Amino acid sequence: MYMFKFAEAVSTIPRWTVVYADSCNMTILSPFELGDGVRLMFTVYSGNELSFELTDGCRTEAYVVDRGLGLTEELIHELNNTHGIKYAHVEACGEIIAEHRDLNLLHKAVEDAAKLALAMVFRCPN
């Protein structure tokens, strides 16, 4: 029953593709590119049917740094205070994460995490 709820929650995120799945981890790939053929990828972990953790594993940070963006403390603070984003945030290391005790918030967390990733990319100088 548990795995079914988790798998269903992840696999029903509109237009995202599940590229890896096991009993408590799923990796999803965005339907859009960040640029240069690179697509956004998140890993979602769940140890029970109620909660989840989502991470981009610093992949977006690595991409934007490679494109010349310096992720300063000020920029991370600005990103985390973007109007309308409340289900995901950027850690000091540049990792985009979301942690919630309600699996029903997964779709909103993915949307907000994607918005943060795109906000990072849009700030790249090249």
Side-chain angles (χ1 to χ4, degrees):
M1 174 88 165
Y2 151 68
M3 181 56 193
F4 175 76
K5 285 184 180 184
F6 175 60
E8 180 180 37
V10 175
S11 64
T12 59
I13 300 170
R15 296 180 302 279
W16 287 68
T17 303
V18 175
V19 294
Y20 173 80
D22 68 20
S23 62
C24 60
N25 301 301
M26 295 183 92
T27 302
I28 56 175
L29 193 61
S30 70
F32 56 86
E33 289 185 8
L34 294 176
D36 306 320
V38 175
R39 290 170 63 189
L40 183 57
M41 186 181 299
F42 294 128
T43 301
V44 184
Y45 307 97
S46 182
N48 60 50
E49 66 185 51
L50 304 174
S51 64
F52 69 90
E53 295 176 26
L54 174 144
T55 179
D56 76 337
C58 291
R59 291 191 271 301
T60 306
E61 182 265 347
Y63 176 74
V64 299
V65 167
D66 189 51
R67 292 191 55 198
L69 181 67
L71 274 181
T72 63
E73 186 177 322
E74 180 181 324
L75 177 55
I76 290 171
H77 178 75
E78 191 177 316
L79 290 165
N80 284 333
N81 287 294
T82 301
H83 179 72
I85 295 179
K86 63 181 184 177
Y87 298 102
H89 68 276
V90 181
E91 291 281 291
C93 64
E95 178 183 20
I96 298 172
I97 67 166
E99 298 175 275
H100 296 282
R101 293 177 188 239
D102 185 352
L103 195 56
N104 294 317
L105 296 176
L106 179 61
H107 288 218
K108 290 178 181 182
V110 168
E111 287 176 15
D112 281 0
K115 290 175 189 174
L116 287 169
L118 290 171
M120 286 178 169
V121 171
F122 291 149
R123 293 171 184 267
C124 287
N126 54 36

